[in-house]
Amino acid sequence: MKQRQLVLLLAITFLFSFKGVAVKDTIIKGQKGKPPVFSNVIYQGDDKIYKNYPLKPDEFYTPILQGCYPDPAITRKGDDYFMVCSSFAMFPGVPIFHSKDLVNWTDLGGVLNKVSEFNPHDTGISAGVYAPGITYNPHNDTFYMIVTAFSGGLGNIIVKTKDPMKGWGSPVKLGFEGIDPCIFFDDNGKGYVVHNDAPDKGKQLYEGHRVIKIWEYDLANDKVIPGTDKIIVDGGVDLSKKPIWIEAPHLYKKDGRYYLMCAEGGTGGNHSEVIFVSDSPKGPYLPSSNNPILTQRYFPKDRANKVDWAGHADLVQGPDNKYYGVFLGIRPNDKDRVNTGRETFMLPVDWSGTFPVFENGLVPLEPKIKMPKGVTENKTGKDGFFPNGNFTFTENFTSDKLDYRWIGLRGPRENFISLTKKGLQIKPFEVNIKEVKPTSTLFYRQQHNTFSFAATIDYKPESEKDLAGIVCLQNERFNYVFGVTKKGKDTYILLERTEKGQSRVIASAKIEIKKPLRLQVKAAGDSYQFSYAVNGVDFENLGESVSGDILSTNVAGGFTGALVGLYATAANDAQPE
């Protein structure tokens, strides 16, 4: 796999010096006409697997976080569990969730939510921030989130809090290279940081050869201690077999011994999780004889209900004192393409022997697992808990607090949205969705392979530079724009396909707007159909159904899943035929 190599290329390409971007600089000056107002947004997931595998009272679905929530890390303080994921150039950075039982999760927003401290304004969508670690230190009653940030010259950073419900402190830059850091606190309170890095200069043996390093950590000054770094894993489980991309290390202590768990094989079809043990945090580490302890790489490519790419895991003790692991995986569509991105899965873990093993992690993954003993109610999708399975999300923009599932790209959503009596108003930036800049688009992750997303838009464009509607986006170079604009004195609705940065309008129709317009995209696997209703009720298809190929990582590359968004721009360049 060459995906992790792309990370380094992205890092080089997009690692710019920190520059603040004022909202007034990106909104068109002297804009005429009224900004679009969106209302009655309905996202509905309808995947067959959830119909074919209904839940029993003691079960819950995995993935526990559907859509682009990759690279999970988890920690526990008492009865409280906190889990974080990668977010790349999405804003805020590092989504965080809370649970009391590992089944029912509450979305707490993002850890890095101040643009003055984390500003991915000029990065491609797959840069930004990724592969976080989160650890609770009982010795000083403090939570630590550590992560690699490819924006603003940050590099590896750490933030702290006494209470994740109340926000986090400012990022502290750490003095080491590499990616995927995690912090560990020993029984005596001593801290260590482990991370992926390149081999020592001149010692790289093959493409994809990486190492795991450990540093001692100065808790008083929040920095790694110079000169304490040591390579504790070279290459992976067996260097003679040229393993690639040993990464995502997590360090644990159990029964007086130290366990180092890592991903190996690259974030793709060869992905796996492996484990090592030592009598000292700084090694030497010996691999388990039964590695890997989690993978999906051994099974037929055309298997039904396929889950693949399993790895990048973290462990925690559940409320029943049994261990559980969270990890990333993907669920391809009918064309074996990955549109929903890498999602967060969970499995119970058997740690009755020397080494932990993911239960049923070495057979094809099932869509549901048993709730921990003592947990009596699955409340996902109810009472404010994050939904999974098939669900409908309805947004009327009437709440004082906008749901955290709505996110910005390269900047805060608050820079362009405002709530009105009629719905959500988006003030258009003079920025096109194809630019590597903050866009005036309110995004929602695609969480199913079969779904619909519909919105009512009250809008009359004033010029050919004005456009508003729906965008389906994998990244800035691969996306669909479905919106309303002007051509001369006439109003048009159009569908634009952008592939490899090259755009073309593939369907358009002249319309007369007398009342708010209803826009909809429906996907059935790889097939996406865009439609509209001028009277808000009777839908007409705009053109034929189109392929979702450009919304997949297979075609578009990168590390994110598809996003669907409410889009407005004052820099439109799509013109109807």
Side-chain angles (χ1 to χ4, degrees):
M1 294 301 299
K2 296 185 178 181
Q3 287 181 308
R4 277 292 179 176
Q5 299 161 32
L6 177 60
V7 168
L8 299 182
L9 179 60
L10 285 165
I12 294 169
T13 305
F14 295 115
L15 199 57
F16 297 113
S17 60
F18 181 93
K19 293 179 282 190
V21 175
V23 180
K24 66 179 184 294
D25 293 332
T26 52
I27 298 176
I28 187 167
K29 298 177 177 66
Q31 176 193 320
K32 298 178 181 178
K34 295 181 180 179
V37 174
F38 293 89
S39 60
N40 191 27
V41 179
I42 300 176
Y43 173 94
Q44 187 166 15
D46 195 32
D47 285 343
K48 284 184 180 179
I49 191 166
Y50 297 118
K51 300 173 184 176
N52 295 339
Y53 290 85
L55 290 175
K56 295 178 181 177
D58 63 342
E59 295 176 330
F60 67 114
Y61 284 124
T62 177
I64 55 174
L65 302 180
Q66 293 163 227
C68 182
Y69 291 101
D71 308 330
I74 192 168
T75 196
R76 176 183 184 179
K77 175 190 175 182
D79 295 333
D80 293 295
Y81 296 88
F82 294 94
M83 182 168 61
V84 291
C85 305
S86 292
S87 54
F88 303 95
M90 297 170 232
F91 199 95
V94 189
I96 181 167
F97 295 83
H98 169 256
S99 179
K100 289 282 190 180
D101 53 22
L102 297 182
V103 176
N104 305 297
W105 292 89
T106 303
D107 190 343
L108 301 183
V111 174
L112 303 174
N113 55 19
K114 298 175 183 175
V115 76
S116 60
E117 296 177 342
F118 167 62
N119 190 354
H121 67 98
D122 55 3
T123 67
I125 194 173
S126 283
V129 64
Y130 60 77
I134 188 170
T135 308
Y136 173 67
N137 181 4
H139 302 282
N140 60 1
D141 188 28
T142 301
F143 290 86
Y144 293 75
M145 193 284 292
I146 186 170
V147 72
T148 307
F150 282 114
S151 61
L154 290 174
N156 289 299
I157 57 173
I158 197 163
V159 294
K160 300 187 298 183
T161 185
K162 294 286 187 180
D163 185 356
M165 301 283 200
K166 296 180 179 177
W168 295 73
S170 296
V172 177
K173 290 182 65 172
L174 299 173
F176 60 87
E177 303 297 324
I179 58 173
D180 295 12
C182 185
I183 192 164
F184 163 79
F185 301 100
D186 208 340
D187 296 336
N188 59 7
K190 194 168 183 177
Y192 299 88
V193 169
V194 288
H195 66 96
N196 161 296
D197 208 345
D200 289 341
K201 191 172 182 179
K203 293 189 177 180
Q204 181 169 338
L205 302 178
Y206 52 87
E207 193 174 348
H209 179 199
R210 301 290 286 180
V211 303
I212 301 298
K213 276 187 179 178
I214 191 168
W215 299 75
E216 296 177 25
Y217 190 77
D218 179 350
L219 274 77
N221 297 296
D222 284 313
K223 65 179 184 179
V224 293
I225 300 173
T228 63
D229 57 309
K230 181 183 179 184
I231 293 175
I232 52 175
V233 172
D234 185 3
V237 170
D238 185 349
L239 186 61
S240 69
K241 294 182 179 178
K242 297 183 178 181
I244 60 170
W245 291 108
I246 190 75
E247 58 193 357
H250 290 279
L251 197 54
Y252 313 95
K253 190 173 187 180
K254 183 175 183 288
D255 301 330
R257 304 189 81 190
Y258 299 86
Y259 292 85
L260 178 71
M261 191 173 75
C262 306
E264 187 185 275
T267 309
N270 204 41
H271 208 200
S272 70
E273 199 70 16
V274 296
I275 191 90
F276 306 78
V277 68
S278 175
D279 293 322
S280 165
K282 299 188 80 170
Y285 281 88
L286 299 175
S288 168
S289 61
N290 64 337
N291 278 322
I293 59 173
L294 166 71
T295 191
Q296 294 290 286
R297 67 189 179 206
Y298 300 125
F299 313 119
K301 297 297 181 185
D302 59 351
R303 62 189 182 274
N305 303 323
K306 181 165 74 169
V307 176
D308 213 351
W309 300 10
H312 200 120
D314 197 6
L315 302 178
V316 72
Q317 272 190 293
D320 53 359
N321 290 320
K322 181 180 179 65
Y323 280 88
Y324 291 81
V326 292
F327 57 96
L328 72 81
I330 55 100
R331 297 178 299 159
N333 64 20
D334 56 318
K335 298 291 186 181
D336 203 35
R337 297 190 182 115
V338 183
N339 289 42
T340 50
R342 297 173 299 157
E343 306 172 294
T344 288
F345 291 75
M346 181 180 287
L347 279 179
V349 172
D350 182 352
W351 206 341
S352 57
T354 301
F355 292 101
V357 176
F358 286 75
E359 294 182 14
N360 297 319
L362 297 172
V363 297
L365 290 174
E366 296 287 332
K368 56 184 185 176
I369 58 176
K370 295 282 188 183
M371 294 195 295
K373 286 185 179 179
V375 179
T376 58
E377 191 175 0
N378 183 340
K379 295 180 283 189
T380 53
K382 308 171 190 172
D383 304 326
F385 290 103
F386 204 75
N388 65 6
N390 283 332
F391 57 84
T392 299
F393 172 60
T394 301
E395 179 65 87
N396 291 311
F397 301 112
T398 54
S399 174
D400 291 337
K401 188 177 180 182
L402 188 60
D403 195 290
Y404 286 130
R405 282 173 281 182
W406 292 111
I407 56 172
L409 179 58
R410 304 188 192 93
R413 62 191 191 180
E414 290 77 14
N415 282 0
F416 56 85
I417 65 171
S418 58
L419 294 176
T420 72
K421 292 181 179 180
K422 292 185 177 181
L424 181 96
Q425 179 176 281
I426 294 183
K427 195 169 185 179
F429 288 176
E430 198 172 5
V431 174
N432 195 287
I433 197 72
K434 294 170 277 190
E435 297 182 72
V436 184
K437 295 178 182 178
T439 72
S440 42
T441 316
L442 191 64
F443 281 108
Y444 183 94
R445 292 167 174 87
Q446 180 181 329
Q447 297 180 290
H448 300 79
N449 283 315
T450 299
F451 77 95
S452 63
F453 180 92
T456 296
I457 177 173
D458 187 354
Y459 178 60
K460 290 184 178 180
E462 292 288 317
S463 76
E464 296 178 356
K465 288 292 184 184
D466 298 328
L467 181 142
I470 290 174
V471 60
C472 291
L473 179 137
Q474 177 59 233
N475 61 46
E476 50 276 358
R477 300 181 71 246
F478 293 83
N479 53 74
Y480 284 107
V481 170
F482 177 50
V484 180
T485 188
K486 294 281 280 193
K487 182 179 181 182
K489 294 182 179 181
D490 297 319
T491 301
Y492 279 81
I493 187 164
L494 61 79
L495 177 62
E496 179 189 54
R497 174 184 168 101
T498 297
E499 181 177 4
K500 298 180 180 177
Q502 300 298 310
S503 303
R504 63 187 178 95
V505 173
I506 56 177
S508 63
K510 188 189 298 185
I511 59 173
E512 189 174 353
I513 297 179
K514 294 183 178 180
K515 59 189 298 184
L517 190 68
R518 190 77 173 157
L519 302 179
Q520 179 176 263
V521 55
K522 294 185 75 171
D526 181 67
S527 177
Y528 287 65
Q529 180 70 65
F530 295 85
S531 59
Y532 64 99
V534 292
N535 62 1
V537 178
D538 301 310
F539 281 95
E540 296 181 55
N541 291 339
L542 185 64
E544 302 295 324
S545 62
V546 295
S547 174
D549 55 353
I550 59 171
L551 304 177
S552 71
T553 53
N554 311 62
V555 172
F559 301 100
T560 59
L563 305 175
V564 57
L566 308 175
Y567 172 50
T569 181
N572 174 50
D573 62 357
Q575 292 300 311
E577 298 171 340

